């Protein structure tokens, strides 16, 4: 059995790229009408529609009186979570905070002796909405990764939405993580209906400026549909890992790392590119061993069968070129000199160097954001960051003298575009 081992050729590479792109959320047109209908209903009927959908999809009666999570509910959540776990959340939070603090940008102004002042004013968004999936798929690590950059950026109000369980409560660990990270308000709402509420506002939930956070296909399509009305982080596809390894890599570690992403879901992708045939065979064998022990082995098997590959490259350059084409969300470099290879990588969400920097380190603890571009979008998108929660305004100020030196140029430019009122607005100042 083991993972499929393939010799890299131009043809193989193209087939793999095509296969991986099938996992894009854009492929699910059949749900788009359902999502549109939900969003239209929320837009028109607001809370009424939100409560009706919550009853329909989550099986819980929610109303204006209990949609908002109370202080008591948060205290109750702390009692339900192991104190050791709260401690780990706090340590992780400190690392995430430290890393994101280094991303903060200042406004700048540049004044010249000729009387011009130009600049850029950086302003945090007023209100950000964070979506958190419910139940067992609730990842407290994701709560931290979405709220911290918003808070570091200076967002005044961070609103979190998450579907309630059958008991009408929010998963305790999610509440603890949200409270530690500094969420201002938490609402019990999930699915496309919660995205609609954040985008358009209802009586209970205020409209936000930007929506971030992962969710199922309905959430992803709802985010896509409200984009432009509000901003969104990205439309996340299934998780993926790519490992570049040479003969010095430990096959057991490599196999473990590949499986760490394959367990997310059946659409996840795990790829090893190596210059060593011997390593390829050993990694394939090791994955078999692990599959006998791991709890989610059914999911892992399906993921590896559909989107798992071990590719044999003729040299490191070919391995690097293929990695840049695939533009993986997570990229591990386990070679003699990982830093050397890293300089040649153009496209990857997060890059992990050396055999002690396995991917889960980034998921939970190191500090860099784990909300990363998937599905080849690392060619043009970046990890979630403080930049996602600010916007920039341009500042322009000229003195009379500064404008006097160039006013004829502007007038001429405006006239060449037949915009005489534009020209006139400059000319009147020098009549």
């Amino acid at each position: 059995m083991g993972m499929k081992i393939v010799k890299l050729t131009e043809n193989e590479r193209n087939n793999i790229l095509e296969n991986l792109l099938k996992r894009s959320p854009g492929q699910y047109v059949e749900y788009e009408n359902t999502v549109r209908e939900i969003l239209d209903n929320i837009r028109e009927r607001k809370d009424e529609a939100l409560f009706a959908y919550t009853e329909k999809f989550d099986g819980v009666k929610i109303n204006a009186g209990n949609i908002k999570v109370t202080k008591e509910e948060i205290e109750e959540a702390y009692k339900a979570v192991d104190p050791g776990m709260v401690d780990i959340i706090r340590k992780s939070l400190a690392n995430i905070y430290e890393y994101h603090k280094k991303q903060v940008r200042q406004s700048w102004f540049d004044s010249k002796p000729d009387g011009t002042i130009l600049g850029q004013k950086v302003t945090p968004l007023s209100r950000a909405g964070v979506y958190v999936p419910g139940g067992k798929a609730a990842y407290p690590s994701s709560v931290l990764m979405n709220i911290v950059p918003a808070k570091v950026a200076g967002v005044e109000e961070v609103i979190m939405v998450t579907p309630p369980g059958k008991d009408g409560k929010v998963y305790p660990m999610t509440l603890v993580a949200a409270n530690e990270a500094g969420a201002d308000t938490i609402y019990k709402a999930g699915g496309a209906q919660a995205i609609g509420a954040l985008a358009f506002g209802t009586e209970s939930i205020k409209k936000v400026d930007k929506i971030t956070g992962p969710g199922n296909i309905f959430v992803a399509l709802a985010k896509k549909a409200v984009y432009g009305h509000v901003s969104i982080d990205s439309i996340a596809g299934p998780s993926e890992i790519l490992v570049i390894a040479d003969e010095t890599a430990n096959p057991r570690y490599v196999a473990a790392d590949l499986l760490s992403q394959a367990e997310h879901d059946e659409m996840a992708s795990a790829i090893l590119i190596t210059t060593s045939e011997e390593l390829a065979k050993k990694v394939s064998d090791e994955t078999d061993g692990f599959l006998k022990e791991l709890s989610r082995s059914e999911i892992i098997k399906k993921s590896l069968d559909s989107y798992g590959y071990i590719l044999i490259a003729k040299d490191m350059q070919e391995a690097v070129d293929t990695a840049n084409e695939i533009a993986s969300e997570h990229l591990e470099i386990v070679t003699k000199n990982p830093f050397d290879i890293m300089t040649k990588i153009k496209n990857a969400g997060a890059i992990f160097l050396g055999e002690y920097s396995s991917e889960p380190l980034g998921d939970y603890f190191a500090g860099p954001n784990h909300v990363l571009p998937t599905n080849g979008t690392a060619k043009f998108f970046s990890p979630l960051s403080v930049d996602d929660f600010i916007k920039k305004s341009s500042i322009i100020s000229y003195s009379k003298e500064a404008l006097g030196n160039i006013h004829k140029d502007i007038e001429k430019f405006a006239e060449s575009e037949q915009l005489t009122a534009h020209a006139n607005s400059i000319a009147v100042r020098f009549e």
Side-chain angles (χ1 to χ4, degrees):
M1 173 43 206
M3 284 175 72
K4 49 182 174 293
I5 300 178
V6 179
K7 267 229 157 58
L8 252 181
T9 60
E10 188 67 20
N11 204 9
E12 261 317 319
R13 183 152 93 182
N14 294 341
N15 289 343
I16 289 167
L17 288 169
E18 205 162 296
N19 189 34
L20 293 178
L21 288 175
K22 289 191 188 118
R23 298 150 56 249
S24 155
Q27 303 286 338
Y28 294 88
V29 253
E30 68 268 29
Y31 301 130
E32 276 180 358
N33 290 338
T34 315
V35 167
R36 197 165 300 120
E37 188 186 316
I38 293 172
L39 292 175
D40 287 346
N41 264 324
I42 295 286
R43 201 170 190 168
E44 282 157 33
R45 298 182 16 246
K46 301 187 166 51
D47 266 0
E48 186 199 338
L50 183 61
F51 301 150
Y53 282 125
T54 305
E55 188 168 358
K56 182 178 170 183
F57 296 130
D58 300 310
V60 185
K61 278 188 167 30
I62 292 286
N63 57 49
N66 66 5
I67 186 168
K68 196 166 148 180
V69 171
T70 62
K71 275 208 170 63
E72 291 73 43
E73 286 175 289
I74 291 173
E75 281 159 21
E76 195 184 317
Y78 274 88
K79 292 195 186 97
V81 174
D82 162 33
M85 198 55 230
V86 178
D87 206 37
I88 293 170
I89 285 174
R90 285 178 182 152
K91 285 184 197 161
S92 167
L93 185 67
N95 292 345
I96 297 166
Y97 181 81
E98 277 304 305
Y99 181 86
H100 288 79
K101 228 169 60 179
K102 296 188 171 70
Q103 297 176 338
V104 174
R105 292 206 213 185
Q106 308 302 330
S107 299
W108 55 266
F109 297 91
D110 186 16
S111 68
K112 297 229 167 77
D114 66 357
T116 64
I117 300 175
L118 300 176
Q120 183 171 276
K121 185 174 184 299
V122 173
T123 316
L125 305 183
S126 299
R127 206 177 285 131
V130 172
Y131 185 89
V132 175
K136 287 286 174 268
Y139 299 123
S141 56
S142 241
V143 176
L144 306 181
M145 294 289 183
N146 278 277
I147 296 175
V148 172
K151 280 285 160 194
V152 171
V155 173
E156 286 155 54
E157 208 178 339
V158 177
I159 292 172
M160 185 176 111
V161 294
T162 188
K166 293 272 181 275
D167 57 358
K169 293 197 167 81
V170 175
Y171 195 58
M173 204 126 93
T174 301
L175 280 189
V176 169
N179 188 61
E180 290 291 330
D184 294 288
T185 332
I186 304 166
Y187 294 103
K188 301 171 189 175
Q193 59 275 21
I195 299 296
L198 290 173
F200 307 125
T202 73
E203 294 86 348
S204 295
I205 299 178
K206 284 187 280 199
K207 175 189 187 316
V208 299
D209 302 312
K210 181 158 192 167
I211 302 171
T212 68
N216 62 17
I217 189 65
F218 292 99
V219 170
L221 290 173
K223 279 169 75 178
K224 191 174 160 193
V226 298
Y227 176 65
H229 195 79
V230 292
S231 180
I232 61 169
D233 51 350
S234 63
I235 297 158
S239 193
E240 51 205 34
I241 184 169
L242 194 153
V243 180
I244 294 181
D246 60 15
E247 68 290 347
T248 66
N250 179 326
R252 191 166 166 79
Y253 295 174
V254 172
D257 295 356
L258 289 168
L259 301 187
S260 75
Q261 290 308 298
E263 80 170 337
H264 270 295
D265 71 61
E266 293 165 7
M267 305 282 280
S269 153
I271 299 174
L272 164 65
I273 307 180
T274 181
T275 45
S276 158
E277 284 195 41
E278 192 188 346
L279 180 82
K281 292 194 180 72
K282 284 184 179 160
V283 169
S284 184
D285 293 342
E286 288 283 356
T287 56
D288 278 353
F290 282 129
L291 277 172
K292 295 189 179 76
E293 309 162 16
L294 294 168
S295 60
R296 296 169 70 96
S297 58
E298 277 312 297
I299 295 175
I300 296 175
K301 263 200 196 79
K302 284 206 169 106
S303 154
L304 293 181
D305 284 347
S306 311
Y307 305 108
Y309 300 92
I310 294 177
L311 306 175
I312 298 174
K314 65 171 187 291
D315 53 28
M316 240 340 134
Q317 192 52 53
E318 187 177 56
V320 166
D321 290 345
T322 305
N324 280 329
E325 269 308 299
I326 292 173
S328 185
E329 176 188 20
H330 304 101
L331 172 68
E332 286 188 12
I333 304 176
V334 204
T335 57
K336 270 198 290 287
N337 188 349
F339 279 88
D340 179 46
I341 308 267
M342 182 269 290
T343 59
K344 301 185 175 88
I345 294 295
K346 293 195 188 95
N347 307 321
I351 304 172
F352 298 79
L353 304 174
E355 66 179 359
Y356 292 100
S357 313
S358 75
E359 189 278 334
L361 173 65
D363 275 351
Y364 294 109
F365 214 81
N369 210 290
H370 78 198
V371 181
L372 300 164
T374 55
N375 239 72
T377 61
K379 287 183 173 178
F380 44 82
F381 283 151
S382 311
L384 191 68
S385 74
V386 170
D387 283 349
D388 278 291
F389 297 97
I390 59 159
K391 59 194 180 54
K392 304 168 195 119
S393 308
S394 310
I395 306 286
I396 300 156
S397 168
Y398 269 53
S399 66
K400 181 176 186 182
E401 186 192 1
L403 188 63
N405 290 334
I406 50 138
H407 77 98
K408 289 233 160 41
D409 292 344
I410 302 172
E411 289 159 30
K412 198 166 180 181
F413 211 146
E415 280 155 9
S416 81
E417 295 187 351
Q418 274 93 52
L419 296 175
T420 49
H422 277 65
N424 187 51
S425 134
I426 298 281
V428 292
R429 290 168 164 75
F430 297 97
E431 277 165 359

